[in-house]
Amino acid sequence: MINLRTREEVKKIQKACIISAKALELAGSMCEDGVNTFEIDEAVRKFIISENARPNFLNYNGYPRSCCISVNDMVIHGIPTKRIILKRGDIVSIDVGAEYDGYNGDNAYTFVIGEVPKEVEKFVSVTENSLYNGIERALEGNRVGDISFTIQNIIQQHGYSIVREFVGHGVGENLHEEPEIPNFLDDIRFKGPRLVEGMVIAIEPMTTIEPTEIEQCEDGWGIKTKSNVLAAHFEHTVLITKHGPVALTLL
Ligand code: MF3
Ligand code: CO
């Protein structure tokens, strides 16, 4: 079932999204050479709790930390650890969410440490751009597939690849709700559900700089590229309204 949110529910989701966005901003401000990913996670966890919210990734299906920090060839779900120390030239995808008064927010951003080659900068910025173009298609009357199609086209036009095994999702009382929001559309006859005012969805392109398979790490969580090529991930929680999409996790 796809939930449509009342004004009161939207207010709570909005609050959860602002906290999620501030947590992501804090995490990004800590992304420097020499910092380990565990310290970032600790700061994020403490911040979310200080805002009277709950880190909604923590214990989600047994996930052990408050955010996911996925470095370079890690696509998503990298578990923060003292063993991973950020260094110049890394690209670092951080995914974090908060629950406030029973409602959730979810967002992600790929940060760059120091200088990276022009091609890498371009890959990261095209992925971010695909998210914003996808959001622009989140119009009442459009279908989920209109978002998917736009994201896929932008990524593929530049020669990059979409990770297909993971998709965006509805957000509300649960972190993951219906509908699924894929980042690709293979058959325009199956565009999925229509977008309606009051729907809240997380749009989250996950991309790789070259075509590759992905594999799960031994920790049972981390998802990395098999060929070790770079991956990027951006995400916003978006509200559908009569007046157009609102990215609730945009500060
Ligand atoms: N935020 C991720 C998503 O975008 C979910 C992470 S769940 C966790 O869907 F368990 F890995 F934290
Ligand atoms: Co998400």
Side-chain angles (χ1 to χ4, degrees):
M1 188 191 61
I2 298 175
N3 291 302
L4 301 183
R5 301 300 169 184
T6 63
R7 282 222 276 165
E8 286 65 37
E9 287 181 304
V10 167
K11 275 188 195 150
K12 291 177 184 179
I13 296 174
Q14 228 159 2
K15 185 83 204 268
C17 284
I18 295 292
I19 297 167
S20 303
K22 287 183 177 168
L24 184 57
E25 185 179 62
L26 169 65
S29 74
M30 292 180 71
C31 282
E32 280 181 30
D33 184 274
V35 175
N36 72 64
T37 60
F38 180 81
E39 20 182 344
I40 297 174
D41 183 76
E42 278 293 284
V44 159
R45 184 177 58 80
K46 287 177 184 157
F47 171 75
I48 292 172
I49 291 167
S50 78
E51 294 285 306
N52 299 313
R54 189 181 70 82
N56 52 9
F57 292 14
L58 188 61
N59 299 321
Y60 184 88
N61 292 333
Y63 186 73
R65 301 277 178 248
S66 298
C67 62
C68 302
I69 307 184
S70 308
V71 181
N72 295 332
D73 59 346
M74 195 76 83
V75 186
I76 49 166
H77 299 171
I79 300 179
T81 162
K82 288 181 179 164
R83 291 187 308 276
I84 298 178
I85 298 163
L86 302 181
K87 56 177 194 317
R88 301 176 114 267
D90 283 345
I91 68 169
V92 184
S93 300
I94 303 186
D95 189 347
V96 59
E99 179 197 308
Y100 179 82
D101 201 4
Y103 289 85
N104 289 277
D106 190 5
N107 64 172
Y109 193 95
T110 300
F111 301 96
V112 164
I113 315 288
E115 306 253 301
V116 294
K118 275 269 169 317
E119 314 86 75
V120 175
E121 226 169 74
K122 172 117 187 272
F123 164 60
V124 172
S125 74
V126 167
T127 303
E128 182 174 22
N129 201 254
S130 76
L131 169 59
Y132 284 101
N133 279 273
I135 291 172
E136 282 177 14
R137 303 296 293 147
L139 300 168
E140 197 171 49
N142 272 359
R143 289 182 186 273
V144 165
D146 293 304
I147 300 171
S148 314
F149 183 74
T150 296
I151 291 172
Q152 177 179 29
N153 269 335
I154 291 172
I155 297 304
Q156 291 182 351
Q157 269 164 22
H158 287 87
Y160 308 134
S161 296
I162 296 287
V163 173
R164 292 167 169 253
E165 289 84 345
F166 296 87
V167 296
H169 49 92
V171 180
E173 290 128 301
N174 297 297
L175 176 59
H176 293 140
E177 297 188 1
E178 288 178 34
E180 290 195 343
I181 315 289
N183 298 298
F184 57 91
L185 179 70
D186 285 327
D187 188 332
I188 54 162
R189 290 174 300 171
F190 303 110
K191 278 188 168 187
R194 226 177 248 294
L195 300 170
V196 175
E197 179 169 53
M199 281 173 65
V200 178
I201 56 174
I203 306 176
E204 48 178 320
M206 289 151 269
T207 60
T208 59
I209 198 165
E210 282 174 26
T212 177
E213 286 178 44
I214 57 169
E215 64 188 7
Q216 191 170 57
C217 301
E218 274 173 16
D219 61 23
W221 279 102
I223 300 293
K224 62 177 284 296
T225 61
K226 252 190 193 168
S227 59
N228 301 115
V229 298
L230 295 176
H233 179 207
F234 286 84
E235 175 178 28
H236 273 305
T237 299
V238 177
L239 169 69
I240 314 300
T241 81
K242 286 230 173 315
H243 314 288
V246 183
L248 300 176
T249 40
L250 195 60
L251 287 177

